[in-house]
Amino acid sequence: MDMKRRSLLRGALSGTALTAVGGLQALYSTTANAQATGYKALVCVALYGGNDGANMVVPRDGRHAQYAATRGALAIPQASLAAIGPLYGLHPSLAPLAPMWTQGKLAAVLNVGPLARPTTRAQLVAKTAQLPDNLFSHSDQQNLWESAGSSVLGRTGWGGRLAEALGPDPVFAFGGSGRIGIGATRSTLALPGPGSDFAPAGYFGGPNAQRRAMLDTLATRTRSNHLLNAFAGIQRTALTRSTTLAPILKISPTNTPAEVLNTHFNNLQGALDTSIAEQLYQVAKMIANRSTVGGNRHVFVVSQDGYDTHNDHLARQGDLFAELAPALVAFRNAMQALGVDNDVTTFTLSDFGRTLKPNSSGGTDHGWGNHHLVMGGAVQGGQTYGTYPSLNLGGTDDYGVQSWEYQGRWIPTLSVDQYMATLAAWMGLNASQVSALLPNLSNFGSSNLGFV
């Protein structure tokens, strides 16, 4: 290859999804490990920073008095809660989600968190508890949630391992996804927002068409070196996939105003003029065009930052929920319109919960166990799963051992492993595959929580 050709090749690859090995792996389709019929998709909504589940799902029965006494100025008044049955209410900014509960399509999974094995406060007091690594640390607890393990040294994510078990596709991420989509043989495919070009497809238009032709030639040439042939195969698939996805991702209310999903997302205007709505809009387009995307088992990740509410807690969480709820409603409406509501399950995760007791700055500090929401046509909703923790500081679910530690950091009673195992089983994995996906699952009594 002469110097001019090498220079052109470097230019074609620079700044595109093909520059990193991870990008190549993400774009590369491998042989499916599990054959399944029909279509199913998981949509993970990552609430980064540590969402305060105690103000997301709140008791509205006799326990509300204890909740209010402990939360003080951060308590949501009982009358302001959006009722989801007789026992609980949602934060008022999440009120748009309440009809899904009535329809039986929204469920709450209570007090979930990373665990090495079932853990009690008595074990903590006796110093016999086996704890996950580095509790209360943002990066480490994100790692544990995303890897579904108890060691921060885990290198792969539950999503990446699940995708490898399901078939040829990577985890598709809009916004941050951390470790979720990393597998042993592939990485997350990070995709842009509405109206954006998806490199490398957007890099080869007009006068740059020669670059694409040159790469196609290199990718289709047969060589005697097996390693080079394998790399060429990855490159061929990468170029094909980027070309396939680029037109889908490019659609926006601005450049394609007649696109059917725009109605459900209100043309991304008003309450839906937000990053989380844009990300879910992109996911909806991928699902609408699933035959073009290829594959019949997809895992998507969207994210919303800002939940590290050490101060100004009520206003900040309320504002975030006011963006989240309309976006989730628009997404589910879109799934119903597409006729795939029963085939798409959306769920939340977060770094950790937050202390039930407020801090001195009008906020909350890092906790452990947390509540999460699951929605979709296949969800066995209108009910909660798991056990709501004690609201007494120093009670049976409080991590604190000495009195000065009593903050209401809930010891989880359900593990991340159980939460993810339930979703993996719904996606079609059998019991042995689920166990291989989540090595610590055998430490817990139930591998399927039954919410979907």
Side-chain angles (χ1 to χ4, degrees), residues 39-45 157-174 177 180-182 186-191 283 286-287 293-302 343-345 347 349 420 423-424 426-427 429 437:
Y39 178 78
K40 286 187 176 181
L42 287 177
V43 181
C44 172
V45 181
W158 59 262
R161 300 195 300 272
L162 176 60
E164 287 171 336
L166 290 169
D169 291 295
V171 171
F172 301 105
F174 299 90
S177 63
I180 293 173
I182 299 174
R186 69 187 74 174
S187 62
T188 310
L189 180 54
L191 299 174
V283 173
M286 294 279 282
I287 293 173
V293 174
N296 65 351
R297 291 292 186 273
H298 292 153
V299 180
F300 300 97
V301 182
V302 299
D343 306 318
V344 180
T345 296
F347 64 98
L349 63 75
M420 297 307 167
L423 296 165
W426 177 76
M427 286 288 275
L429 296 194
L437 176 73

Side-chain angles (χ1 to χ4, degrees), residues 22-31 168-170 185-186 189 230-238 241:
L24 285 168
Q25 289 175 334
L27 288 163
Y28 180 44
S29 294
T30 57
T31 302
D169 291 295
T185 61
R186 69 187 74 174
L189 180 54
F231 182 82
I234 293 173
Q235 191 176 61
R236 282 195 303 274
T237 307
R241 170 156 279 179

Side-chain angles (χ1 to χ4, degrees), residues 355-419:
T355 54
L356 186 62
K357 181 180 178 179
N359 61 26
S360 59
S361 303
T364 54
D365 296 323
H366 300 176
W368 188 0
N370 205 0
H371 309 320
H372 291 282
L373 299 177
V374 185
M375 70 176 227
V379 172
Q380 304 302 304
Q383 57 186 312
T384 60
Y385 293 82
T387 303
Y388 204 93
S390 166
L391 295 166
N392 295 318
L393 298 183
T396 55
D397 296 303
D398 198 336
Y399 176 84
V401 174
Q402 304 296 327
S403 59
W404 60 269
E405 297 177 294
Y406 296 165
Q407 302 291 320
R409 291 184 171 98
W410 295 330
I411 302 168
T413 45
L414 293 176
S415 70
V416 174
D417 308 72
Q418 293 169 291
Y419 189 45

